[in-house]
Amino acid sequence: MRVLVVGGAGYIGSVTVDQLLQSGHTVTVLDSLVSGHREAVNADAELVVADVRGEEALARLMASHSFEAVVYYGGFIQAGESVINPGRYFANNVAGCIALLNAMVAYGVGHFVFSSSAAVYGEPDEVPISEDAPLRPVNPYGEAKLMVERMLPWYEKQGIRYVALRYFNAAGASNLRGEDHRPETHLIPIVLQVAAGQRESMPLFGTDYPTPDGTCIRDYVHVLDLAAAHILALERSEAGSGVYNLGNGIGFSNREVIEAAGRVAGRPIAVREEARRPGDPARLVASSDRAKEVLGWTPGFTDLDAVVESAWRWHQAHPKGYST
Ligand SMILES: NC(=O)c1ccc[n+]([C@@H]2O[C@H](COP(=O)([O-])OP(=O)(O)OC[C@H]3O[C@@H](n4cnc5c(N)ncnc54)[C@H](O)[C@@H]3O)[C@@H](O)[C@H]2O)c1
């Protein structure tokens, strides 16, 4: 397939680009590089540096390429920042998708895979969370994901088959690509920065949650498994449109992640206990049964140490991220 990957210079997108190429697809990456890295884009993919909201540039790209599918990884990703600056999130994460979907309709591109998020659920009533759980985002980041999801069935009537993938916590690295967000807000890369001596200590937000060790529990899904799900979403077109959770179904507490990082790096991690952050649910764990049954997806990384170890290897090889 000829595939356009929007946001393909970012963490998850760059790993997917590698897998798409390995699977024999032809790839063009459209990325503004607002938070992505030119060096993260596989040399066998075409890279077009532009904002997806630039309608003329997008129309030129569509007109000259005859894409068959579009995968969207764009937008901003910090839920906390989105509460303080909602306009930044709606303007990029929602308007960017509208521009893209309109161009797909205009140029007859019939397949769309959307990076959604567990943030569409907010505080769940029960775990594991299924796709039928109530959708009650607690921040503009999650609201923006839900707004796009709600548009998709309307675009389907204009000929676009869609697959929305609600990732839980993306983690880990491939041999070539890893996580380099600035600022970094995700637990595993931050704890590895502490292990590497780049930060003094690891803030632990909340130690009095109703969980066995008092810290929040999250579902970490390996970036290679996420990428594989996108390939399945594109190739299994007989599955039709749909919405799927992607998690590995096992929850690990913040303390367990910090201990795993200590084991993998072979050194203790200094921890700084802090108060709970508002809007952090105690437990977020996915049921991914639908993705397994319908898409035939099987997450390969269920062992926490293996996930952390892959991230540690990449971090050791790129101590300053993509700037080295
Ligand atoms: N990382 C996670 O744990 C996680 C969890 C759930 C959902 N997601 C979603 O997955 C997607 C990818 O996440 P990531 O961690 O790889 O993020 P990332 O920030 O590494 O990648 C996003 C990419 O999109 C590009 N971009 C942003 N706005 C753009 C625009 N207007 N035009 C063109 N390019 C633009 C950035 O330059 C960057 O390369 C995001 O949509 C995110 O919301 C991520």
Side-chain angles (χ1 to χ4, degrees):
M1 271 189 183
R2 290 180 297 279
V3 185
L4 174 64
V5 181
V6 176
Y11 170 44
I12 308 169
S14 63
V15 176
T16 309
V17 168
D18 291 341
Q19 284 194 13
L20 282 166
L21 290 165
Q22 275 160 23
S23 308
H25 299 288
T26 305
V27 179
T28 298
V29 169
L30 174 68
D31 199 302
S32 64
L33 300 180
V34 61
S35 49
H37 311 275
R38 188 182 287 276
E39 306 83 346
V41 180
N42 190 305
D44 291 333
E46 177 191 20
L47 171 62
V48 176
V49 179
D51 193 300
V52 69
R53 292 166 291 177
E55 287 181 16
E56 280 178 24
L58 187 58
R60 272 199 305 277
L61 186 66
M62 292 276 186
S64 57
H65 281 68
S66 321
F67 295 116
E68 292 157 285
V70 174
V71 187
Y72 172 87
Y73 291 97
F76 299 128
I77 65 163
Q78 292 178 53
E81 183 197 47
S82 77
V83 176
I84 297 158
N85 193 351
R88 180 169 148 86
Y89 281 71
F90 294 127
N92 192 7
N93 300 13
V94 181
C97 281
I98 295 173
L100 189 57
L101 289 159
N102 287 347
M104 288 177 67
V105 173
Y107 289 90
V109 186
H111 297 278
F112 183 59
V113 182
F114 174 59
S115 295
S116 189
S117 166
V120 297
Y121 298 113
E123 299 250 2
D125 294 331
E126 54 186 40
V127 289
I129 305 169
S130 83
E131 290 84 352
D132 300 323
L135 301 171
R136 297 178 302 223
V138 292
N139 50 55
Y141 169 75
E143 189 70 47
K145 292 289 185 199
L146 185 54
M147 288 165 86
V148 174
E149 279 197 16
R150 287 202 202 276
M151 289 178 210
L152 294 175
W154 299 103
Y155 279 97
E156 186 182 26
K157 293 183 193 299
Q158 300 301 316
I160 298 178
R161 179 182 83 93
Y162 68 86
V163 176
L165 299 173
R166 295 176 180 159
Y167 323 152
F168 281 61
N169 290 50
S174 71
N175 289 336
L176 296 173
R177 328 250 176 245
E179 195 164 2
D180 181 5
H181 293 129
R182 302 176 195 191
E184 190 53 78
T185 56
H186 293 151
L187 181 70
I188 292 177
I190 292 178
V191 73
L192 295 181
Q193 288 172 358
V194 178
Q198 294 172 342
R199 286 181 193 242
E200 272 187 17
S201 59
M202 180 70 214
L204 187 53
F205 296 106
T207 53
D208 58 349
Y209 284 96
T211 58
D213 68 16
T215 67
C216 290
I217 291 178
R218 296 288 179 268
D219 182 326
Y220 294 90
V221 54
H222 198 279
V223 66
L224 285 167
D225 288 330
L226 287 179
H230 290 75
I231 314 282
L232 289 169
L234 282 177
E235 293 180 349
R236 300 247 165 132
S237 56
E238 72 281 3
S241 294
V243 176
Y244 301 91
N245 284 342
L246 296 179
N248 74 39
I250 307 171
F252 295 105
S253 75
N254 289 348
R255 263 198 218 286
E256 285 175 315
V257 173
I258 293 168
E259 282 162 14
R263 274 194 303 277
V264 165
R267 58 198 78 158
I269 309 287
V271 171
R272 206 171 70 237
E273 293 189 5
E274 307 227 351
R276 289 183 184 197
R277 288 184 304 195
D280 258 352
R283 254 176 227 266
L284 290 175
V285 179
S287 159
S288 302
D289 291 350
R290 189 186 287 177
K292 289 176 186 161
E293 281 158 24
V294 182
L295 298 178
W297 180 67
T298 317
F301 285 81
T302 47
D303 177 56
L304 178 61
D305 283 24
V307 174
V308 173
E309 198 190 349
S310 70
W312 178 239
R313 258 189 275 118
W314 193 81
H315 194 277
Q316 290 286 88
H318 305 84
K320 292 189 181 149
Y322 282 104
S323 49
T324 46

